[in-house]
Amino acid sequence: MAARTFVNFRHHDFSEPSAHGYRWVDVRSFGIPRGAQDGELLTALVAHEQFRDDYAGGGVDPGGIRHGPYWLRHVTAHAYREVGKAEALSTIRDWVDQYGPVPESLEEALASQVFDAVDSATSCYRLRDLGSRAFHDWGGVHADFHEYVAVDRERALVKLVVAADD
């Protein structure tokens, strides 16, 4: 099983909790074999049992057919595009700050668990918007859904970072 960190905004003291309460970031870490190319890593990640998660409370379904808002069959290694770390960090930062400043406790958790995962990556990929045709039967439930794959060759890890709301 992959190592997992879940940062739930609801567990932090907000002055206006309604704007922040149903947002979270899920980070799953996977070891990588020496010498594997990024395309091979993306293919292995998509095939992994832990990838079969709709991120809407059901958790991982080993026989699952959904990933986030999409039917799993639409999410392939080719559904990811390489992005710079600065772009990934900026998108996540904008998403975090969209309702204003966050409590220091949440900022610390995000810095150590999320921003570090992306910042330490040697390459980073973002799941493209696959469009509403790729949505599964209730796939539009998330107002925001951001997914990155951070490949960290120095630590021999791939981190799947999903930031969303529900």
Side-chain angles (χ1 to χ4, degrees), residues 39 47 76 89 113 144 161:
T76 67
L89 291 167
Q113 301 300 320
D144 290 308
V161 178

Side-chain angles (χ1 to χ4, degrees), residues 86-140:
E87 178 184 332
L89 291 167
S90 177
T91 300
I92 297 169
R93 174 89 277 160
D94 290 347
W95 174 79
V96 166
D97 292 339
Q98 67 183 310
Y99 301 113
V102 298
E104 187 176 325
S105 61
L106 177 56
E107 191 63 52
E108 290 171 3
L110 291 168
S112 67
Q113 301 300 320
V114 179
F115 292 112
D116 181 60
V118 175
D119 195 42
S120 66
T122 49
S123 55
C124 188
Y125 297 85
R126 181 177 188 162
L127 179 62
R128 292 183 293 107
D129 179 350
L130 300 178
S132 60
R133 290 180 160 225
F135 278 173
H136 56 69
D137 45 349
W138 46 268

